[in-house]
Amino acid sequence: MYIYKIFVVGTILLSLYSTYYNRIYKEYILGDNKSLQYELSREIIKKVPLNKKVYIADIGLVPQYYLTNLLPPNLDKFGYSYGLTLNNIEHIKQINDADFVLKFKKEYPNYFKYDQKLIQSKLLENKLIEVNNYVNLYMVKD
């Protein structure tokens, strides 16, 4: 019984530490991510006119909607949807209806409903604009 209590307390303490380190310390204390996001948003604004629709294909780039004041295509139907909320057909529709698509250069593990290779092949049909070492912008429509 005593070992069980130590195990439960240890688990709770490790969970609290993990939450603090990954959510508070990294995000708010180190804060490097915010400066990188602001830098990225300045580069995007230089390359995309304000009246154009931008579809952000990766969840890690979603803050750029708010930092750049750009809107996604089909806002009335899909809102700011991305990642787990869209299937292959919806992703392709968003890409086709967008003026620009923003996506990480690196492919991440496929935890989305959509087929990353299908989406990448669709994007490669469009003009590539390099934003920085980590992010690409694809011009779908002129």
Side-chain angles (χ1 to χ4, degrees):
M1 188 67 155
Y2 182 72
I3 292 176
Y4 176 74
K5 289 179 183 180
I6 291 174
F7 178 75
V8 170
V9 169
T11 302
I12 291 171
L13 290 175
L14 285 173
S15 296
L16 290 172
Y17 173 76
S18 175
T19 301
Y20 169 78
Y21 182 74
N22 289 315
R23 296 292 171 211
I24 297 170
Y25 181 73
K26 285 183 180 178
E27 294 289 326
Y28 298 106
I29 296 173
L30 291 179
D32 290 340
N33 193 25
K34 287 185 191 235
S35 63
L36 293 174
Q37 286 180 356
Y38 289 131
E39 184 179 317
L40 178 59
S41 67
R42 286 189 289 275
E43 290 300 315
I44 293 168
I45 289 170
K46 289 178 191 175
K47 296 172 181 359
V48 178
L50 283 175
N51 62 339
K52 300 294 182 179
K53 302 290 183 194
V54 176
Y55 174 56
I56 296 177
D58 287 319
I59 191 170
L61 295 169
V62 169
Q64 294 306 316
Y65 278 132
Y66 312 109
L67 294 172
T68 60
N69 247 359
L70 296 169
L71 295 174
N74 305 307
L75 183 62
D76 55 337
K77 182 175 181 181
F78 296 118
Y80 289 95
S81 296
Y82 53 86
L84 295 171
T85 60
L86 298 176
N87 60 34
N88 287 334
I89 295 167
E90 292 166 338
H91 271 285
I92 297 295
K93 177 162 181 49
Q94 288 292 78
I95 290 169
N96 289 335
D97 293 348
D99 298 304
F100 294 87
V101 176
L102 191 64
K103 183 156 182 22
F104 283 121
K105 288 182 179 183
K106 181 181 176 186
E107 290 294 331
Y108 291 95
N110 194 358
Y111 52 87
F112 297 117
K113 288 183 190 176
Y114 65 86
D115 179 356
Q116 289 183 350
K117 290 180 183 178
L118 172 70
I119 301 303
Q120 190 63 29
S121 66
K122 178 66 181 163
L123 289 174
L124 291 175
E125 297 172 3
N126 301 294
K127 180 182 176 185
L128 172 66
I129 303 168
E130 188 171 307
V131 176
N132 63 22
N133 292 335
Y134 308 104
V135 177
N136 283 332
L137 186 67
Y138 297 90
M139 183 186 293
V140 179
K141 298 177 187 170
D142 288 327

